[in-house]
Amino acid sequence: MAELTGLFSPGRVAVVGATPREGAVGHAITSNLIEGFSGEVVGVNPNHDEVLGVDCVDSLADAGDPDLAVVVVPPGIAVDAVREAGECGVGDVVVITAGFGETGSEGATRERELREVAEEFDLNLVGPNSLGVMSTPVGMNATFGPDDALEGSLSFMSQSGAFITAVVDWANDQGIGFKDVVSLGNKAVLDEGDFVEAWNDDEETDVIIGYLEGISEGREFIETAREVTRETPVVLVKSGRTDAGAQAASSHTGTIAGSERAYEAGLEQAGVLRAESVQELFDSAQMLANQPLPANESIAVITNAGGPGVMSTDAVGDSRLSMASFSEDTLDSFREALPAEGNVHNPVDIVGDADVERFTGALEAALADPNVGMALVLSAPTAVLDYEELAERTVELREKHDKPVAACFMGGERVAPAAELLREAGIPNYFDPARAVESLDALAEYREIRGREYDDPTEFDVDRERVRELLDRAEQRGDNRIGVEAMEILEAYGIPIPDGEVVSDPAEAERVAGSIDGEAVMKIVSPDIMHKSDIGGVKVGVPESEVYDAYEDLVTRARNYQPDATLLGVQVQEMVDLDSGVETIVGMNRDPQFGPLLLFGLGGIFVETLEDVTLRVAPVSEREADAMIDEIDAAPLLRGARGREPVDEAAITETIGRLSQLVTDFPEIVELDINPLVATPTGTTAIDIALTVEQ
Amino acid sequence: MAELTGLFSPGRVAVVGATPREGAVGHAITSNLIEGFSGEVVGVNPNHDEVLGVDCVDSLADAGDPDLAVVVVPPGIAVDAVREAGECGVGDVVVITAGFGETGSEGATRERELREVAEEFDLNLVGPNSLGVMSTPVGMNATFGPDDALEGSLSFMSQSGAFITAVVDWANDQGIGFKDVVSLGNKAVLDEGDFVEAWNDDEETDVIIGYLEGISEGREFIETAREVTRETPVVLVKSGRTDAGAQAASSHTGTIAGSERAYEAGLEQAGVLRAESVQELFDSAQMLANQPLPANESIAVITNAGGPGVMSTDAVGDSRLSMASFSEDTLDSFREALPAEGNVHNPVDIVGDADVERFTGALEAALADPNVGMALVLSAPTAVLDYEELAERTVELREKHDKPVAACFMGGERVAPAAELLREAGIPNYFDPARAVESLDALAEYREIRGREYDDPTEFDVDRERVRELLDRAEQRGDNRIGVEAMEILEAYGIPIPDGEVVSDPAEAERVAGSIDGEAVMKIVSPDIMHKSDIGGVKVGVPESEVYDAYEDLVTRARNYQPDATLLGVQVQEMVDLDSGVETIVGMNRDPQFGPLLLFGLGGIFVETLEDVTLRVAPVSEREADAMIDEIDAAPLLRGARGREPVDEAAITETIGRLSQLVTDFPEIVELDINPLVATPTGTTAIDIALTVEQ
């Protein structure tokens, strides 16, 4: 998509609906715009010749070719104003006006019209129902919020305008600056994916951050974000995480919130760092904007205080970081420099009487150690320690060794000037060791994301036409739960099913039973009988000699149970020995935002109670399918825990991959469960399947 | 224990080791003490007549009957100084001097001597290796830290002196005050339990907080804290949570850190609120000190900003709180007061143009609703909202309705004066909705703790003598892993085991097999053969007719495997049908700090991989045993998930209770696993047991 230069660096901005009336949105925006903006501003309002000292014209056609139109007219005429912008060749439009999709059906119709106009003229349109946009390098505040943002390298999008006003006021106080800020509004045209893409191409943006309540095009966003996050970190708060939150989100903006689990999987696959709170969002973003990525995940903690040292170690244990093991050289240098009561191992305790020399000597030795990826300087206030000097030397060492450093100079007033020195050099200082460690953890997380390899999904050789036929046949019958064809559908996509066939007379049943190994399982096949076991419609362990009678018995039971049921025959299958394998589940559910969501986990009776499952948005590569197996808690059971033979993991991977291909090829499959998929040392077999299509 | 009046409100304090030498600890303490202390100070140092304007005497005997002696002399003479204090009738002593248990074996000996002297004279002794104590009502700072604390109602103990200096500096900056502060040092005499108890009796202490690296007497602490937390909340950071952290803790203070899981269980049973970070510690403590407990766990969120409202709902979802459902009256009042775009359901969206009247009207209606236990006032900055007025009105309403309220006036400078108004009234204001919700959650957690009922453990009728005999017999043999007697030990404590006996000839085996239901399980019994199955020493499903031959075969196999093994016979047992029940595990491990730790969870092959288990320090009451069953993820499986018959939960509760009694009665049992304990609809049976005793 789209360059957004006209949006964030316009030479000339027209405010359609500019007004001198105080309290009006058209007044606030004009007033914000004229203050500090390096470009030109023109008002569009037939009732005025001038607004706040700015020329005001009757229509956009007279506005002297603006690059950006900000529309603040009432909803009834907003679509016309946007059309006029298109006709005049204005490429970028921000619609502040509310009263669209977030209100009733009239608003929804209006929003559809707006989208059509934007498409017709290929407009980059923000909103409607937006607070506006800001871009600090050109001094542009085209919002009706109360504050200008400071200049910085974070670009920030938010689905909540109120959140922008709150964040900007707070960030000004904290000295945190932004490159661009955009209030997404209803996302009728431009959405989060467009901004992520545009900001990746923007040299002045170091980190992309956002507050989202929903993602418009899940799969597309994953593809975009994967590319972007190779170069530019993206940190998002996605709210509506819990059920209660999701309800609030949908009543708020009219977004149909996708399920939290889909977002969890999707954002993880997209390479997005997900923040759970505002604090985490900004702690992570500032660290990513100001410090280099670590070469490894090992942290050195240098401290003059044993207790806080232990707290930092706890925090490291909660994170993906690990406490660095120092090289012998480093240990020797600690041994030389530290008193006997000190601790040369991590966390390095340089003891309470340490001065700045001992502190920075230890820090330098640690940063010089190739085993150390990053450091935490953790200090309690003492009489012998000059915090400001320690801050200055810490800044020098951070730059000299080009490794990330966080600080925990604990204390209050005594620390303030040192903290300011650190902050100016991009080193965060937190009172709480846990928070300092978490900020470093964000760097390690992004390092992992940057190192990811994304493969294409394997293309298996499958019989797509056969599945087409089987689904069409079910559609003709009007079934949306696929019964008898489901196993055949799996077979057509190469997913192993038990040997056997559906037969329609007892002699055929005997023939099939003769062709399979061991005893047989026999099941009645009828679209009208859902719970076969309950009516005695399933027989297991049937020897070949009893198959004929068993066939007749099954049919009799079905007839007695429901005389008008359509009987399609009896399925005769080999018995799969469940004891020799592990019961897993492989399934798919279609999410409104992300599309097919694959599930893998421990199957059988444990699936519901323990929920030991993992999810991915399909299609998945072999690498991703492998990772799914790794992620479940019960993975050791697959790998031969308690003296069992390991199962064939490659076969599970392949089954996941083939299922992924199936549900990607056939969007009408909305739900599919293979439970159990029995995994044994020699392969997998799909024992039971439930499949639903959209009719 | 112990009144600590002499420690925290002494009339006269002697500094043993007072000195005019700048930089010395004896100087810092004297200097801190004379500033602001309402009592008298006397120095003890034969080299001086006066220190910093304070009289200095040659020995404690001449010090004019001080209530408290602060000892800062070198380690070599510190024990003598404490003895002198005892001889002079000084009841309370703080030993600042380091060089005791935290150093080598010489220090450990010295610490033992110190403890003996304290016992001899019944001294309340803090330390050694302590930063000192403070008590703000009498203006006493008997520490060598740089800052005096502000006056307040939190009493604070810390196992790290450095942490105290850091916290006091920071707290002064935040306006947070303390009643007493104590640096626990090595806890040679007084420990956390003593202070918790003493502060509970102190009317000026509202909340007890602490930083601990270990707990000296686990079970005793639980008993004390249970009583205390009925009246006074206790919030603790216990560091050394992770494996890495625990290593750092033990190298730091010489505490043998109990396992994290024991602490987790023990602190939970003690009714302690556990904070994971410094931020959480103080957020919780301030809320508990300043606000009433809620009547229920339902929260009302009143907001002018939809997005942050969704974020608060997420935070509520992560907590024990729930979003309140309003009464019809409340909804009606919202409907009247709010514009059409508003949301009358929780989170109540009063829309961006809300002024203070609409805000406080909605807040008042919510607080008046009996369904509402507490409220969050959540606001983004807008042009129509006067934050200071909103703060004042929020304070009034909080007091009027006597329900807890937290604030999230989002923003920076714009919010500062309002935040200060709120803070003065004990209402915290946080930028992050998640943090505001967490602070309210601490109140709900303490409400739950206050409502707890602690019952005595059930005393079951058991055969204690029989177990004594069996354990003695094993001891005489020199076994520490109990084999053959283990099942009998369970039986003596009324824990159901399979029918059967250990026999020593094949005819006896036949007789026993004839007396039990169905087929038999037969196992070789030998203290020398640990892994019976591996050598074919176990036979299952043996029909009565084959028992004779099976006996001989088992004995032959054992002889062939290990000719010199002691064979005690063959165990002949009924077969328990594993398929009809759920395999659970009940076990015990003895923790160095907390003693016997009971474990319950899902058994069989899943116990290790899924770790779906819960723990309690023994002894446990029936209520606690019930709670253990509730807590495992697989609990629904016990209650008849997937159409199975529910198992007999009362039988599991009883088994846990009987095991609790067994391990409490016999401290030499150090480890015990019943795995599986099969739970069926009619009871439980211990199938396999491993039991280790200390020899």
Side-chain angles (χ1 to χ4, degrees), chain A residues 147 169 240-241 307 314 318 414, chain B residues 147 169 240-241 314 318 414:
Chain A
D147 298 298
D169 185 22
R241 275 188 290 118
D314 280 345
D318 291 340
R414 194 174 300 274
Chain B
D147 298 298
D169 185 20
R241 273 189 291 118
D314 280 344
D318 291 341
R414 194 174 299 274

Side-chain angles (χ1 to χ4, degrees), chain B residues 227-264:
Chain B
E227 286 307 311
V228 168
T229 53
R230 286 183 195 283
E231 292 167 10
T232 312
V234 178
V235 191
L236 299 179
V237 169
K238 155 69 182 73
S239 76
R241 273 189 291 118
T242 59
D243 288 348
Q247 279 167 18
S250 58
S251 70
H252 175 52
T253 57
T255 305
I256 300 164
S259 75
E260 163 56 15
R261 295 201 111 168
Y263 278 108
E264 201 179 302

